Amino acid sequence: MDTDQQQVAFDALIASDGRVEPRDWMPEGYRKTLIRQIAQHAHSEIIGMQPEGNWITRAPSLRRKAILLAKVQDEAGHGLYLYSAAETLGMSREEMLDLLHAGRQRYSSIFNYPTPTWADVAAIGWLVDGAAITNQVPLTRCSYGPYARAMIRICKEESFHQRQGFESQLQLSNGTPEQHAMAQDAIDRWWWPSLMMFGPPDDDSPNSAQSTAWGIKRFSNDELRQRFVDICVPQAQTLGLTLPDPDLCWNAERGHYDYGVIDWTEFQQVLKGNGPCNRQRIATRRQAHSDGAWVREAAAAYAAKKQAAGATVPVAA
Amino acid sequence: MSTPNSPLWEVFVRPSRGTNHVHVGSIHAADATLALQNARDLYTRRGEGVSIWVVRSSDVTASSPEEKDSFFEPSADKPYRHPTFYTIPDGVEHL
């Protein structure tokens, strides 16, 4: 088939809501868009271990510590599922990591905010993972098969993340006045950045139309943001905490909650690298990577030595 | 600082005894032993499996999507291989 025929076949596949698989012909723009998006997503999971990892050694109980360890381990796992999906598009994991470390591939801006109190761990679980799930559930129907399959696994596991955050937030809210104030303070700081996680407003999101046409994106940024707001308002009431937006109110005509204006200048600043923790996050990631170099080298040397000695492994059964 | 490549492995998990190993994804590891351990940590954190296979991705031979139609053509025109091809009078049981 020539390129025109391949394009026709690809368009027909997308139009019929079919799935694209790694060895299918695909337009270069589709491939590039997916690599950029999946790599960004993978990097977000990996960098996302840092804000919460900050609290593992200081979790207030063994129960909370075990939960947090499992959650941070899940984030590492999610990163690896996603790197695998991106690799099927022809970019190696090593190259993606190098691009992350060089600042040439992005991760979600949300992870550039600090976690100064234990309540931040709860707020991340409830709000940040809640926003992530809202974004990710439609991606389980993304037109690219490996990405959609990775998202199915991830969404199943994220559900625990959000619920543990909500439970922890509720426990703090119902605790001492100091604990309640700490929970409220965390919500005050995480609410607006969580809304920014859905990306720029629809009229300022140049890539959205193409991603929608390709079946990568199923709902617009503003639609998903609205869905998240509508989910959170009653949950905040159960928690006994206030979402820090005086304009938040039910709009019976729209059947949705109205919310205030998002500070997109802040979003742009964090995106440009001027958020509270941008430099720290990348420095920590680079350090972890270079600290692990000897392990990778030793494993490769041991594998080469065993192969030279003609070692065998157990056969499948 | 560039990162050296480690081989890619395809991972197959048997969810429980009596079922097939099913492809669940892939993983990087220097050798088969590490691939098995990494696959356990990545793909069976919640009791998803009782057995794992790992296969070097480079050892997998796959059919080509470009040749899908001609490759699978021999099975496309043989409806008589399906039980629904045959007309049976009403009232005949156990058939």
Side-chain angles (χ1 to χ4, degrees):
Chain A
M1 281 201 286
D2 63 27
T3 307
D4 285 348
Q5 287 171 308
Q6 287 169 323
Q7 180 76 51
V8 168
F10 175 86
D11 291 344
L13 185 69
I14 296 290
S16 66
D17 201 22
R19 294 292 175 270
V20 180
E21 294 296 341
R23 297 180 68 213
D24 293 339
W25 182 90
M26 60 187 90
E28 263 320 289
Y30 180 82
R31 184 185 298 277
K32 279 187 183 151
T33 297
L34 278 169
I35 289 177
R36 191 187 65 224
Q37 178 170 339
I38 304 173
Q40 197 261 17
H41 200 158
H43 297 329
S44 300
E45 301 282 358
I46 297 301
I47 297 287
M49 291 193 281
Q50 292 184 36
E52 293 178 285
N54 182 32
W55 281 93
I56 289 174
T57 57
R58 293 174 288 160
S61 68
L62 186 56
R63 179 176 185 271
R64 290 286 171 206
K65 183 172 182 169
I67 291 168
L68 187 53
L69 269 171
K71 179 177 190 288
V72 172
Q73 192 189 11
D74 272 356
E75 310 294 3
H78 296 174
L80 295 184
Y81 301 153
L82 289 161
Y83 284 130
S84 285
E87 280 190 297
T88 64
L89 292 158
M91 180 178 279
S92 74
R93 184 177 68 176
E94 289 76 9
E95 187 177 356
M96 286 183 269
L97 285 174
D98 291 342
L99 289 169
L100 170 67
H101 298 152
R104 291 173 52 209
Q105 280 183 344
R106 291 179 192 277
Y107 56 92
S108 174
S109 290
I110 192 77
F111 301 114
N112 290 316
Y113 290 87
T115 48
T117 78
W118 168 251
D120 290 310
V121 173
I124 288 177
W126 177 44
L127 292 176
V128 176
D129 290 314
I133 291 170
T134 308
N135 255 332
Q136 288 168 355
V137 167
L139 287 172
T140 62
R141 295 187 291 121
C142 161
S143 62
Y144 189 60
Y147 191 27
R149 293 192 285 275
M151 291 319 305
I152 290 171
R153 296 185 72 88
I154 290 174
C155 284
K156 274 188 198 164
E157 299 182 355
E158 287 283 354
S159 176
F160 133 61
H161 297 182
Q162 192 190 15
R163 287 173 69 111
Q164 66 82 33
F166 186 89
E167 186 207 65
S168 180
Q169 196 72 273
L170 185 62
Q171 197 176 7
L172 287 170
S173 181
N174 291 339
T176 64
E178 290 80 7
Q179 287 170 333
H180 180 89
M182 189 167 75
Q184 182 61 54
D185 167 65
I187 301 302
D188 291 347
R189 284 180 289 109
W190 288 95
W191 174 248
W192 290 106
S194 298
L195 293 189
M196 295 175 198
M197 284 175 69
F198 297 93
D202 292 349
D203 53 18
D204 187 28
S205 181
N207 300 323
S208 284
Q210 182 60 70
S211 283
T212 305
W214 276 330
I216 298 171
K217 206 172 167 60
R218 299 279 175 177
F219 298 97
S220 80
N221 294 353
D222 286 332
E223 282 170 337
L224 292 169
R225 189 167 13 246
Q226 181 70 62
R227 185 177 299 175
F228 178 66
V229 171
D230 291 346
I231 288 170
C232 285
V233 172
Q235 291 181 351
Q237 285 163 357
T238 304
L239 288 171
L241 297 167
T242 308
L243 297 173
D245 179 358
D247 296 327
L248 199 61
C249 70
W250 178 250
N251 183 328
E253 204 172 302
R254 292 200 307 125
H256 293 291
Y257 284 93
D258 289 338
Y259 54 93
V261 179
I262 296 171
D263 181 2
W264 293 110
T265 319
E266 175 184 323
F267 179 74
Q268 292 300 339
Q269 279 303 315
V270 179
L271 215 57
K272 278 184 191 142
N274 301 322
C277 300
N278 295 56
R279 286 169 197 80
Q280 182 191 338
R281 297 294 184 236
I282 284 294
T284 302
R285 175 86 270 283
R286 292 175 64 112
Q287 184 69 40
H289 193 67
S290 59
D291 287 351
W294 72 270
V295 179
R296 294 188 293 274
E297 284 159 15
Y302 182 68
K305 191 175 108 182
K306 268 201 314 187
Q307 198 170 22
T312 54
V313 291
V315 294
Chain B
M1 175 182 58
S2 175
T3 310
N5 288 304
S6 61
L8 191 65
W9 304 75
E10 299 303 318
V11 181
F12 300 78
V13 172
R14 182 202 290 279
S16 61
R17 293 181 62 84
T19 58
N20 292 323
H21 286 77
V22 177
H23 183 245
V24 293
S26 57
I27 192 145
H28 280 275
D31 62 31
T33 308
L34 282 174
L36 266 183
Q37 292 172 0
N38 290 356
R40 174 202 59 197
D41 291 346
L42 186 58
Y43 291 106
T44 62
R45 289 199 300 283
R46 290 174 173 80
E48 291 94 334
V50 295
S51 170
I52 299 177
W53 293 346
V54 290
V55 179
R56 281 284 287 262
S57 306
S58 57
D59 288 341
V60 174
T61 307
S63 62
S64 158
E66 298 260 312
E67 291 159 13
K68 174 170 71 71
D69 292 342
S70 59
F71 191 74
F72 293 104
E73 191 274 335
S75 86
D77 61 351
K78 295 175 182 63
Y80 45 86
R81 282 178 170 164
H82 297 277
T84 48
F85 180 75
Y86 301 93
T87 310
I88 305 293
D90 288 347
V92 179
E93 292 181 341
H94 309 298
L95 199 67

